[in-house]
Amino acid sequence: MNKDKRILSGMRPTGRLHLGNLHGALKNWIQLQDQYDCYFFVADWHALTTDYADPAAIRQNTWDMILDWFAAGLDPQKAVVFIQSRVKEHAELYLLLGMITPLAWLERNPTYKEQQQQLETKDLSTYGFLGYPVLQAADIIIYRAHGVPVGKDQLPHVELTREIARRFNFIYHREVFPIPDALLTEAPVLPGTDGRKMSKSYGNCIYMTEPEESVRRKILQMVTDPQRARRSDPGDPEKCPVFEYHKLYSTAEEIADVVQGCRTAGIGCVDCKKILLPHLLGHLGPMREKRAALEKDMEEVKAAVQSGIERAGREARQTMALVVETVGLGNHA
Ligand code: TRP
Ligand code: SF4
């Protein structure tokens, strides 16, 4: 137990979460909430940097994602759960950090050019998109967080946050911000139904709260080791995306049987998938039910997030009072 250590992380509102999100980030957050002083938020302004033309979807996706967080066990009694755009102080700090952040740091950010090329259907030659990591730095240091649990793709952003925090402390001669550490989330990369990385843009996802029938259909249609074209061909579980699911959900004994049966063509892929299915469905069932119950009680969900917003706001305002005093713009007569 180390409630003195503050942990903060955010997710862009992508809507309902898939199993990749669940095992990648969310399970980790749920573990952290028992040990640390945790702040978790929906990065809706960050979503706006790429989806500025479609804000209605962001709003819907925000609540869809929060419902999945709570359905999976993220507990607003344990962690401070809030929405970025409802704590305006993030924007104030973002503005001040913008004054001291060299343009060259942003232009050399690897995700900047990469995403601009990848998302070529959107015009991302905007000021807001270039400033994405400055906003992220503000999110983190406004709570004076010590640890930021993130996946590998976010490491450059946390590194930039550290540089910006150091530069602020240096320029204004005061250790206002602790230098946060990235806590790299070591999670299994769960393949999608086509064997590629699970991703909404590939259309290969299994969703956390998807109906049973639909999960069953997707698993039965999921690609397997391409060498097993016929039932009589032996396969290699290590080349099969279904096996990654067994590793997560099935018992050690079943996993051993699957390995043996697959390599000797002793079992077929449908048999193999039918070993997995009850475990997977058993894991998803309670989350789907919890979500359905929460949806009937949106007032309570919104109240929990509202109190998270208030707690986060108090904390952010304390930091901003110190920041404004440090920069020296406060106390005008
Ligand atoms: N950029 C992060 C992502 O795309 C989301 C994010 C915004 C974030 N602000 C943050 C993550 C602060 C950690 C800390 O996933
Ligand atoms: Fe994959 Fe199972 Fe088929 Fe082997 S038997 S290829 S592990 S689905």
PDB file of all heavy atoms in Angstrom, residues 8-12 41 43 46 84 132 135-136 139-140 148-150 153-154 157-158, ligand 1:
ATOM      1  N   LEU A   8      -1.143   8.418 -12.523  1.00  0.00           N
ATOM      2  CA  LEU A   8      -2.136   9.033 -13.398  1.00  0.00           C
ATOM      3  C   LEU A   8      -2.047   8.440 -14.790  1.00  0.00           C
ATOM      4  O   LEU A   8      -0.953   8.196 -15.303  1.00  0.00           O
ATOM      5  CB  LEU A   8      -1.895  10.546 -13.481  1.00  0.00           C
ATOM      6  CG  LEU A   8      -2.724  11.254 -14.564  1.00  0.00           C
ATOM      7  CD1 LEU A   8      -3.351  12.516 -14.018  1.00  0.00           C
ATOM      8  CD2 LEU A   8      -1.905  11.539 -15.801  1.00  0.00           C
ATOM      9  N   SER A   9      -3.204   8.198 -15.388  1.00  0.00           N
ATOM     10  CA  SER A   9      -3.195   7.821 -16.799  1.00  0.00           C
ATOM     11  C   SER A   9      -4.506   8.209 -17.463  1.00  0.00           C
ATOM     12  O   SER A   9      -5.517   8.436 -16.780  1.00  0.00           O
ATOM     13  CB  SER A   9      -2.932   6.323 -16.972  1.00  0.00           C
ATOM     14  OG  SER A   9      -2.585   6.062 -18.312  1.00  0.00           O
ATOM     15  N   GLY A  10      -4.475   8.291 -18.774  1.00  0.00           N
ATOM     16  CA  GLY A  10      -5.667   8.661 -19.522  1.00  0.00           C
ATOM     17  C   GLY A  10      -5.816   7.790 -20.758  1.00  0.00           C
ATOM     18  O   GLY A  10      -4.858   7.156 -21.201  1.00  0.00           O
ATOM     19  N   MET A  11      -7.028   7.758 -21.267  1.00  0.00           N
ATOM     20  CA  MET A  11      -7.301   7.048 -22.525  1.00  0.00           C
ATOM     21  C   MET A  11      -8.119   7.962 -23.412  1.00  0.00           C
ATOM     22  O   MET A  11      -9.040   8.637 -22.925  1.00  0.00           O
ATOM     23  CB  MET A  11      -8.187   5.811 -22.261  1.00  0.00           C
ATOM     24  CG  MET A  11      -7.489   4.501 -22.134  1.00  0.00           C
ATOM     25  SD  MET A  11      -8.736   3.178 -22.036  1.00  0.00           S
ATOM     26  CE  MET A  11      -8.061   2.264 -20.665  1.00  0.00           C
ATOM     27  N   ARG A  12      -7.802   7.948 -24.682  1.00  0.00           N
ATOM     28  CA  ARG A  12      -8.674   8.670 -25.605  1.00  0.00           C
ATOM     29  C   ARG A  12     -10.007   7.933 -25.701  1.00  0.00           C
ATOM     30  O   ARG A  12     -10.035   6.705 -25.697  1.00  0.00           O
ATOM     31  CB  ARG A  12      -8.025   8.745 -26.986  1.00  0.00           C
ATOM     32  CG  ARG A  12      -7.130   9.954 -27.113  1.00  0.00           C
ATOM     33  CD  ARG A  12      -6.461   9.966 -28.437  1.00  0.00           C
ATOM     34  NE  ARG A  12      -5.689   8.747 -28.601  1.00  0.00           N
ATOM     35  CZ  ARG A  12      -4.884   8.517 -29.636  1.00  0.00           C
ATOM     36  NH1 ARG A  12      -4.771   9.397 -30.589  1.00  0.00           N
ATOM     37  NH2 ARG A  12      -4.213   7.389 -29.709  1.00  0.00           N
ATOM     38  N   PHE A  41      -8.466   9.264 -16.372  1.00  0.00           N
ATOM     39  CA  PHE A  41      -9.389  10.193 -17.036  1.00  0.00           C
ATOM     40  C   PHE A  41      -9.568   9.891 -18.519  1.00  0.00           C
ATOM     41  O   PHE A  41      -8.764   9.211 -19.146  1.00  0.00           O
ATOM     42  CB  PHE A  41      -8.914  11.634 -16.835  1.00  0.00           C
ATOM     43  CG  PHE A  41      -7.666  11.966 -17.600  1.00  0.00           C
ATOM     44  CD1 PHE A  41      -7.744  12.596 -18.833  1.00  0.00           C
ATOM     45  CD2 PHE A  41      -6.419  11.629 -17.106  1.00  0.00           C
ATOM     46  CE1 PHE A  41      -6.605  12.897 -19.555  1.00  0.00           C
ATOM     47  CE2 PHE A  41      -5.263  11.910 -17.819  1.00  0.00           C
ATOM     48  CZ  PHE A  41      -5.360  12.552 -19.046  1.00  0.00           C
ATOM     49  N   ALA A  43      -9.432  11.303 -22.089  1.00  0.00           N
ATOM     50  CA  ALA A  43      -8.710  12.390 -22.762  1.00  0.00           C
ATOM     51  C   ALA A  43      -9.516  12.869 -23.966  1.00  0.00           C
ATOM     52  O   ALA A  43      -9.149  12.637 -25.121  1.00  0.00           O
ATOM     53  CB  ALA A  43      -7.319  11.914 -23.164  1.00  0.00           C
ATOM     54  N   HIS A  46      -7.824  15.384 -26.236  1.00  0.00           N
ATOM     55  CA  HIS A  46      -6.868  14.720 -27.124  1.00  0.00           C
ATOM     56  C   HIS A  46      -7.568  14.076 -28.323  1.00  0.00           C
ATOM     57  O   HIS A  46      -7.045  14.082 -29.436  1.00  0.00           O
ATOM     58  CB  HIS A  46      -6.046  13.674 -26.361  1.00  0.00           C
ATOM     59  CG  HIS A  46      -4.867  14.270 -25.652  1.00  0.00           C
ATOM     60  ND1 HIS A  46      -4.805  14.386 -24.286  1.00  0.00           N
ATOM     61  CD2 HIS A  46      -3.725  14.791 -26.128  1.00  0.00           C
ATOM     62  CE1 HIS A  46      -3.656  14.975 -23.955  1.00  0.00           C
ATOM     63  NE2 HIS A  46      -2.992  15.221 -25.052  1.00  0.00           N
ATOM     64  N   GLN A  84     -11.265  14.931 -18.888  1.00  0.00           N
ATOM     65  CA  GLN A  84     -10.278  16.004 -19.073  1.00  0.00           C
ATOM     66  C   GLN A  84     -10.926  17.380 -19.304  1.00  0.00           C
ATOM     67  O   GLN A  84     -10.580  18.362 -18.653  1.00  0.00           O
ATOM     68  CB  GLN A  84      -9.406  15.621 -20.262  1.00  0.00           C
ATOM     69  CG  GLN A  84      -8.287  16.572 -20.626  1.00  0.00           C
ATOM     70  CD  GLN A  84      -7.657  16.131 -21.936  1.00  0.00           C
ATOM     71  OE1 GLN A  84      -8.341  15.681 -22.858  1.00  0.00           O
ATOM     72  NE2 GLN A  84      -6.338  16.239 -22.013  1.00  0.00           N
ATOM     73  N   TYR A 132      -0.169  18.239 -29.117  1.00  0.00           N
ATOM     74  CA  TYR A 132      -0.690  17.060 -28.399  1.00  0.00           C
ATOM     75  C   TYR A 132       0.141  16.692 -27.169  1.00  0.00           C
ATOM     76  O   TYR A 132      -0.396  16.531 -26.062  1.00  0.00           O
ATOM     77  CB  TYR A 132      -0.764  15.899 -29.402  1.00  0.00           C
ATOM     78  CG  TYR A 132      -1.432  14.629 -28.937  1.00  0.00           C
ATOM     79  CD1 TYR A 132      -2.687  14.256 -29.420  1.00  0.00           C
ATOM     80  CD2 TYR A 132      -0.816  13.772 -28.029  1.00  0.00           C
ATOM     81  CE1 TYR A 132      -3.291  13.076 -29.014  1.00  0.00           C
ATOM     82  CE2 TYR A 132      -1.419  12.605 -27.605  1.00  0.00           C
ATOM     83  CZ  TYR A 132      -2.656  12.257 -28.103  1.00  0.00           C
ATOM     84  OH  TYR A 132      -3.258  11.092 -27.683  1.00  0.00           O
ATOM     85  N   LEU A 135      -0.178  19.154 -24.177  1.00  0.00           N
ATOM     86  CA  LEU A 135      -1.415  18.932 -23.419  1.00  0.00           C
ATOM     87  C   LEU A 135      -1.265  17.702 -22.523  1.00  0.00           C
ATOM     88  O   LEU A 135      -1.673  17.705 -21.357  1.00  0.00           O
ATOM     89  CB  LEU A 135      -2.598  18.761 -24.392  1.00  0.00           C
ATOM     90  CG  LEU A 135      -3.965  18.512 -23.757  1.00  0.00           C
ATOM     91  CD1 LEU A 135      -4.359  19.612 -22.783  1.00  0.00           C
ATOM     92  CD2 LEU A 135      -5.042  18.367 -24.840  1.00  0.00           C
ATOM     93  N   GLN A 136      -0.648  16.671 -23.043  1.00  0.00           N
ATOM     94  CA  GLN A 136      -0.444  15.456 -22.250  1.00  0.00           C
ATOM     95  C   GLN A 136       0.474  15.749 -21.060  1.00  0.00           C
ATOM     96  O   GLN A 136       0.251  15.254 -19.954  1.00  0.00           O
ATOM     97  CB  GLN A 136       0.130  14.329 -23.123  1.00  0.00           C
ATOM     98  CG  GLN A 136       0.266  13.017 -22.368  1.00  0.00           C
ATOM     99  CD  GLN A 136       0.319  11.798 -23.277  1.00  0.00           C
ATOM    100  OE1 GLN A 136      -0.013  11.869 -24.469  1.00  0.00           O
ATOM    101  NE2 GLN A 136       0.723  10.674 -22.736  1.00  0.00           N
ATOM    102  N   ASP A 139      -1.619  17.388 -18.456  1.00  0.00           N
ATOM    103  CA  ASP A 139      -2.474  16.388 -17.785  1.00  0.00           C
ATOM    104  C   ASP A 139      -1.734  15.714 -16.640  1.00  0.00           C
ATOM    105  O   ASP A 139      -2.305  15.418 -15.593  1.00  0.00           O
ATOM    106  CB  ASP A 139      -2.847  15.243 -18.752  1.00  0.00           C
ATOM    107  CG  ASP A 139      -3.684  15.675 -19.934  1.00  0.00           C
ATOM    108  OD1 ASP A 139      -4.330  16.731 -19.858  1.00  0.00           O
ATOM    109  OD2 ASP A 139      -3.675  14.929 -20.953  1.00  0.00           O
ATOM    110  N   ILE A 140      -0.475  15.411 -16.909  1.00  0.00           N
ATOM    111  CA  ILE A 140       0.298  14.601 -15.960  1.00  0.00           C
ATOM    112  C   ILE A 140       0.808  15.461 -14.805  1.00  0.00           C
ATOM    113  O   ILE A 140       0.615  15.142 -13.632  1.00  0.00           O
ATOM    114  CB  ILE A 140       1.480  13.919 -16.678  1.00  0.00           C
ATOM    115  CG1 ILE A 140       0.951  12.928 -17.729  1.00  0.00           C
ATOM    116  CG2 ILE A 140       2.405  13.222 -15.672  1.00  0.00           C
ATOM    117  CD1 ILE A 140       2.010  12.396 -18.693  1.00  0.00           C
ATOM    118  N   VAL A 148       3.265   7.090 -14.461  1.00  0.00           N
ATOM    119  CA  VAL A 148       2.294   7.147 -15.550  1.00  0.00           C
ATOM    120  C   VAL A 148       2.271   5.795 -16.267  1.00  0.00           C
ATOM    121  O   VAL A 148       3.153   5.509 -17.078  1.00  0.00           O
ATOM    122  CB  VAL A 148       2.653   8.250 -16.568  1.00  0.00           C
ATOM    123  CG1 VAL A 148       1.559   8.426 -17.599  1.00  0.00           C
ATOM    124  CG2 VAL A 148       2.921   9.575 -15.858  1.00  0.00           C
ATOM    125  N   PRO A 149       1.301   4.926 -15.935  1.00  0.00           N
ATOM    126  CA  PRO A 149       1.237   3.634 -16.617  1.00  0.00           C
ATOM    127  C   PRO A 149       0.786   3.808 -18.071  1.00  0.00           C
ATOM    128  O   PRO A 149      -0.290   4.348 -18.321  1.00  0.00           O
ATOM    129  CB  PRO A 149       0.193   2.842 -15.803  1.00  0.00           C
ATOM    130  CG  PRO A 149      -0.613   3.869 -15.075  1.00  0.00           C
ATOM    131  CD  PRO A 149       0.257   5.081 -14.911  1.00  0.00           C
ATOM    132  N   VAL A 150       1.624   3.379 -18.991  1.00  0.00           N
ATOM    133  CA  VAL A 150       1.323   3.525 -20.420  1.00  0.00           C
ATOM    134  C   VAL A 150       1.920   2.353 -21.194  1.00  0.00           C
ATOM    135  O   VAL A 150       2.789   1.653 -20.700  1.00  0.00           O
ATOM    136  CB  VAL A 150       1.921   4.827 -21.023  1.00  0.00           C
ATOM    137  CG1 VAL A 150       1.125   6.053 -20.629  1.00  0.00           C
ATOM    138  CG2 VAL A 150       3.388   4.977 -20.672  1.00  0.00           C
ATOM    139  N   ASP A 153       3.911   2.678 -26.977  1.00  0.00           N
ATOM    140  CA  ASP A 153       3.684   3.765 -27.940  1.00  0.00           C
ATOM    141  C   ASP A 153       3.679   5.144 -27.283  1.00  0.00           C
ATOM    142  O   ASP A 153       3.903   6.147 -27.956  1.00  0.00           O
ATOM    143  CB  ASP A 153       2.352   3.536 -28.673  1.00  0.00           C
ATOM    144  CG  ASP A 153       1.170   3.577 -27.713  1.00  0.00           C
ATOM    145  OD1 ASP A 153       1.210   2.843 -26.693  1.00  0.00           O
ATOM    146  OD2 ASP A 153       0.221   4.336 -27.955  1.00  0.00           O
ATOM    147  N   GLN A 154       3.426   5.182 -25.964  1.00  0.00           N
ATOM    148  CA  GLN A 154       3.320   6.476 -25.281  1.00  0.00           C
ATOM    149  C   GLN A 154       4.623   6.911 -24.617  1.00  0.00           C
ATOM    150  O   GLN A 154       4.686   7.995 -24.018  1.00  0.00           O
ATOM    151  CB  GLN A 154       2.207   6.432 -24.226  1.00  0.00           C
ATOM    152  CG  GLN A 154       0.807   6.292 -24.818  1.00  0.00           C
ATOM    153  CD  GLN A 154       0.421   7.494 -25.635  1.00  0.00           C
ATOM    154  OE1 GLN A 154       0.559   8.638 -25.202  1.00  0.00           O
ATOM    155  NE2 GLN A 154      -0.045   7.266 -26.853  1.00  0.00           N
ATOM    156  N   HIS A 157       5.972  10.381 -25.361  1.00  0.00           N
ATOM    157  CA  HIS A 157       5.187  11.461 -24.760  1.00  0.00           C
ATOM    158  C   HIS A 157       5.545  11.665 -23.292  1.00  0.00           C
ATOM    159  O   HIS A 157       5.587  12.800 -22.805  1.00  0.00           O
ATOM    160  CB  HIS A 157       3.692  11.183 -24.904  1.00  0.00           C
ATOM    161  CG  HIS A 157       3.205  11.300 -26.320  1.00  0.00           C
ATOM    162  ND1 HIS A 157       2.086  10.659 -26.783  1.00  0.00           N
ATOM    163  CD2 HIS A 157       3.700  11.986 -27.371  1.00  0.00           C
ATOM    164  CE1 HIS A 157       1.908  10.956 -28.065  1.00  0.00           C
ATOM    165  NE2 HIS A 157       2.875  11.749 -28.441  1.00  0.00           N
ATOM    166  N   VAL A 158       5.802  10.570 -22.592  1.00  0.00           N
ATOM    167  CA  VAL A 158       6.171  10.719 -21.180  1.00  0.00           C
ATOM    168  C   VAL A 158       7.576  11.314 -21.077  1.00  0.00           C
ATOM    169  O   VAL A 158       7.848  12.148 -20.209  1.00  0.00           O
ATOM    170  CB  VAL A 158       6.057   9.379 -20.421  1.00  0.00           C
ATOM    171  CG1 VAL A 158       6.463   9.554 -18.965  1.00  0.00           C
ATOM    172  CG2 VAL A 158       4.639   8.828 -20.508  1.00  0.00           C
TER     173      VAL A 158
HETATM  174  N1  TRP B   1      -2.041  10.042 -25.432  1.00  0.00           N
HETATM  175  C1  TRP B   1      -2.628   8.974 -24.658  1.00  0.00           C
HETATM  176  C2  TRP B   1      -3.083   7.857 -25.618  1.00  0.00           C
HETATM  177  O1  TRP B   1      -3.269   8.103 -26.778  1.00  0.00           O
HETATM  178  C3  TRP B   1      -3.785   9.442 -23.832  1.00  0.00           C
HETATM  179  C4  TRP B   1      -3.372  10.417 -22.792  1.00  0.00           C
HETATM  180  C5  TRP B   1      -3.675  11.753 -22.750  1.00  0.00           C
HETATM  181  C6  TRP B   1      -2.595  10.157 -21.623  1.00  0.00           C
HETATM  182  N2  TRP B   1      -3.156  12.336 -21.650  1.00  0.00           N
HETATM  183  C7  TRP B   1      -2.483  11.388 -20.930  1.00  0.00           C
HETATM  184  C8  TRP B   1      -1.992   8.997 -21.114  1.00  0.00           C
HETATM  185  C9  TRP B   1      -1.741  11.484 -19.752  1.00  0.00           C
HETATM  186  C10 TRP B   1      -1.254   9.099 -19.933  1.00  0.00           C
HETATM  187  C11 TRP B   1      -1.134  10.338 -19.256  1.00  0.00           C
HETATM  188  O2  TRP B   1      -3.281   6.747 -25.190  1.00  0.00           O
END
